Amino acid sequence: MSSRTSELESPKASGDAIEATVVQDVDEFEHVGDRTATWHDAKTTTLLEPRRSLPFYGIVLVEPAVPVEIKGCQVETGNGDRSTRGRFYVKRSAHEQLLEAAGMYLFVVYLPRPGLPQIARAIVPATIVDELLAGRWYDVGGERSESEVAKLAWSHVIDPAGVDPAVTVGDRP
């Protein structure tokens, strides 16, 4: 890969790096390339159960062969002259396919520095995310691959009280 500076400047490159790290870290995941499906990044190969580094919200386990869309966002991002919590960017068409397939989202909150340290993760069913996205969809102009998207602050999914930027996911007790 290129220098981390350029990757940090590109949300796509950061997302690809987060996806690769998560698929490598979670033994129950198998990568799904864009040539196979553009609406999810991985699928479970065996039963997936929650653990401290991978908490589940709204479910107790994930069965084999379930599609998983991995979404990452920075812990904070610039918003004019101040900062705000980072947001997950969801494409409507991909979300609809994940819903239809009874898929899951794996949300990752990371720090915008070399190595993209992950400070929070959460597995959430697409059906719950669908409820969280209600009323947030908007049209995207221009020549983009998607026409309708939504943004969701990570704090709508993960309790900020449990997130410590000084503790990475792998170092959780």
Side-chain angles (χ1 to χ4, degrees):
M1 291 190 153
S2 61
S3 75
R4 296 308 287 168
T5 302
S6 62
E7 287 179 26
L8 291 175
E9 293 172 2
S10 164
K12 173 71 171 142
S14 294
D16 289 347
I18 291 292
E19 290 167 16
T21 300
V22 167
V23 169
Q24 184 176 8
D25 288 352
V26 180
D27 292 336
E28 298 89 346
F29 281 173
E30 175 182 281
H31 177 260
V32 175
D34 285 347
R35 289 185 179 192
T36 303
T38 58
W39 52 276
H40 68 287
D41 305 306
K43 69 177 181 178
T44 52
T45 56
T46 61
L47 186 69
L48 178 63
E49 297 179 276
R51 44 191 172 254
R52 288 180 190 226
S53 64
L54 190 60
F56 288 16
Y57 292 80
I59 52 169
V60 294
L61 56 85
V62 180
E63 295 181 350
V66 172
V68 178
E69 173 67 351
I70 301 167
K71 291 286 182 190
C73 75
Q74 295 179 12
V75 67
E76 288 186 342
T77 187
N79 186 10
D81 59 349
R82 60 184 182 89
S83 65
T84 185
R85 289 191 175 115
R87 287 166 170 67
F88 301 111
Y89 186 82
V90 180
K91 298 174 184 176
R92 181 105 190 219
S93 60
H95 174 70
E96 295 294 334
Q97 288 180 285
L98 199 62
L99 267 175
E100 186 174 312
M104 302 288 158
Y105 281 93
L106 191 161
F107 292 114
V108 178
V109 180
Y110 64 90
L111 298 173
R113 61 179 178 221
L116 303 174
Q118 299 176 30
I119 59 171
R121 289 182 183 166
I123 293 250
V124 184
T127 53
I128 291 176
V129 174
D130 191 54
E131 293 173 18
L132 295 171
L133 294 175
R136 298 179 187 274
W137 297 105
Y138 62 94
D139 290 327
V140 179
E143 297 179 23
R144 309 239 352 203
S145 62
E146 66 279 350
S147 60
E148 203 172 7
V149 299
K151 292 181 184 178
L152 184 65
W154 66 261
S155 56
H156 285 100
V157 180
I158 300 168
D159 182 2
V163 177
D164 181 352
V167 180
T168 61
V169 167
D171 296 335
R172 297 230 185 279

